[in-house]
Amino acid sequence: MRPADMKRINTPELAEAFIEEQVQAVRAQVGDRKVLLALSGGVDSSVVAALLIKAIGRQLVCVHVNHGLMRKGESEQVLSVFRDQMDANLIYVDATDRFLELLAGVDEPERKRKIIGGEFIKVFEEEARKLEGIDFLAQGTIYPDILESDGVKAHHNVGGLPDDFDFELVEPVRLLYKDEVRMVGHALGLPASMVERQPFPGPGLGVRCLGAITRDRLAALRESDAILREEFANAGLAGKVWQFFTVVPDFRSTGVRDGKRAFDWPVIIRAVNTVDAMTATVPEIDWAVLKKVTDRILAEVPGVCRVLYDLTPKPVGTIEWE
Ligand code: XMP
């Protein structure tokens, strides 16, 4: 449990002091041995990676599994920040084809989640078995994970590694709240776009490409999501709206393009404000911003002929569509 006298890390100085303390603690725990980390590019695993690189450099082995359901530019950012800028010992696995083949024809949301989570563990396990002399597993467990779900990383749907992996855990941010993890991430020099990232489900775009995932709709989803993020950032909404993304359903609608009849996919814009994700409201986004996003999606994303804004609060609708 978090000690009663532990100070809230809310200044860069306190973040620096925390980093110094953890660097020493990790060095004492690990010595000259090796640590493995699944680096998704999310806030928690990124902060743990940067902290451990500072403490033990290339004794940390990071594995980034690209399941093909990442947002546009995300895996590239992981590679450029950690491999190019921080000289991380980073194994990159592009498992896109594996995931999409397993998911082909599967339209039930929980089944999709199980496949994605199970396959993620399998790929990570395969990479771990190829490595020799790993004694530790680092995890981005944070304090709410401990409070809410017995210390397992909440909501990641990934299960755990098989029992024959007898790793000792390294969990340097396990006593921190999310805002403190972000403060530490900034102090470690991670880019703001990574540290301030909004929540992104473990199954990624897989639960936003509705029904059975197809490559054409996944591409439309990725491109439309990137446009939405860019335009919300341009309009100063990036830090103000809690979570926003696009969704592509698995039905088509009619349209007219270049004087010809079209029969293409709709894109749904979802934006919500919330404190704890248990309930959520829909922000009144400036009409001009919604129009700009719509115009750009219709002009730039192939296979899309309609854009909608979801006005549903939670309850009744959940934040995600699946
Ligand atoms: P819902 O859709 O339940 O979402 O209103 C609440 C929050 O949880 C996120 N979410 C997930 N995160 N794995 C995750 O790691 C999941 O399967 C999952 N489903 C929903 C969602 O993005 C929102 O922030």
Side-chain angles (χ1 to χ4, degrees):
M1 279 292 155
R2 192 173 159 118
D5 61 351
M6 185 170 158
K7 269 201 208 129
R8 189 90 183 187
I9 300 172
N10 52 12
T11 64
E13 293 72 31
L14 287 170
E16 293 290 352
F18 173 85
I19 292 165
E20 224 15 76
E21 184 189 299
Q22 285 305 315
V23 163
Q24 298 309 328
V26 168
R27 285 182 186 154
Q29 183 186 5
V30 170
D32 59 3
R33 290 178 291 168
K34 284 191 191 158
V35 182
L36 181 65
L37 170 74
L39 174 58
S40 66
V43 180
D44 306 334
S45 68
S46 296
V47 170
V48 167
L51 191 54
L52 293 190
I53 289 167
K54 193 172 167 83
I56 57 170
R58 294 180 66 88
Q59 281 165 255
L60 174 74
V61 183
C62 302
V63 177
H64 176 71
V65 178
N66 178 358
H67 50 24
L69 305 165
M70 309 286 284
R71 288 177 290 196
K72 187 172 180 176
E74 262 178 341
S75 284
E76 291 81 356
Q77 188 185 37
V78 168
L79 289 176
S80 85
V81 168
F82 290 100
R83 190 182 271 170
D84 302 345
Q85 291 166 37
M86 295 191 174
D87 192 32
N89 193 349
L90 170 61
I91 298 167
Y92 171 69
V93 188
D94 183 355
T96 303
D97 291 341
R98 249 174 101 156
F99 278 82
L100 294 188
E101 274 158 32
L102 274 179
L103 287 162
V106 180
D107 63 359
E108 209 276 309
E110 289 315 308
R111 179 102 201 91
K112 286 165 68 176
R113 279 189 170 75
K114 284 225 169 67
I115 290 174
I116 296 165
E119 193 62 11
F120 184 89
I121 283 292
K122 231 162 126 187
V123 176
F124 185 61
E125 184 193 334
E126 284 170 19
E127 293 304 317
R129 287 198 195 283
K130 286 186 210 159
L131 298 166
E132 308 235 307
I134 303 272
D135 290 309
F136 298 89
L137 181 71
Q139 292 192 152
T141 313
I142 68 170
Y143 202 48
D145 299 326
I146 293 175
L147 296 180
E148 287 158 24
S149 49
D150 296 329
V152 282
K153 191 108 191 85
H155 239 343
H156 271 221
N157 322 86
V158 291
L161 283 171
D163 289 342
D164 67 310
F165 279 105
D166 194 17
F167 294 131
E168 196 181 310
L169 293 181
V170 179
E171 297 181 308
V173 297
R174 63 193 300 280
L175 294 181
L176 303 193
Y177 288 101
K178 197 78 180 192
D179 56 303
E180 298 178 299
V181 177
R182 292 204 161 104
M183 189 66 83
V184 169
H186 285 301
L188 284 162
L190 288 172
S193 60
M194 199 168 234
V195 175
E196 297 300 332
R197 219 175 81 141
Q198 53 184 280
F200 185 56
L205 298 182
V207 290
R208 297 176 181 169
C209 187
L210 304 186
I213 298 167
T214 54
R215 286 181 194 254
D216 61 338
R217 285 188 306 115
L218 190 56
L221 177 59
R222 188 172 280 123
E223 291 306 316
S224 59
D225 180 69
I227 290 171
L228 179 71
R229 283 195 284 147
E230 201 179 308
E231 291 304 329
F232 269 37
N234 288 343
L237 296 172
K240 291 204 183 118
V241 177
W242 194 80
Q243 193 176 15
F244 49 87
F245 51 86
T246 60
V247 172
V248 175
D250 54 351
F251 55 81
R252 290 189 282 179
S253 92
T254 51
V256 196
R257 189 182 286 282
D258 305 326
K260 281 202 279 276
R261 185 180 179 279
F263 190 44
D264 283 330
W265 309 112
V267 164
I268 299 157
I269 299 170
R270 183 71 167 142
V272 291
N273 279 325
T274 178
V275 175
D276 56 8
M278 301 302 284
T279 62
T281 56
V282 177
E284 288 186 29
I285 304 297
D286 209 357
W287 198 249
V289 177
L290 288 175
K291 237 181 116 334
K292 178 92 192 278
V293 173
T294 301
D295 289 346
R296 279 197 59 195
I297 291 175
L298 292 175
E300 295 171 34
V301 185
V304 173
C305 72
R306 203 174 285 269
V307 178
L308 302 98
Y309 186 44
D310 182 353
L311 294 180
T312 319
K314 175 181 180 178
V316 173
T318 47
I319 295 174
E320 302 289 344
W321 268 58
E322 283 192 337

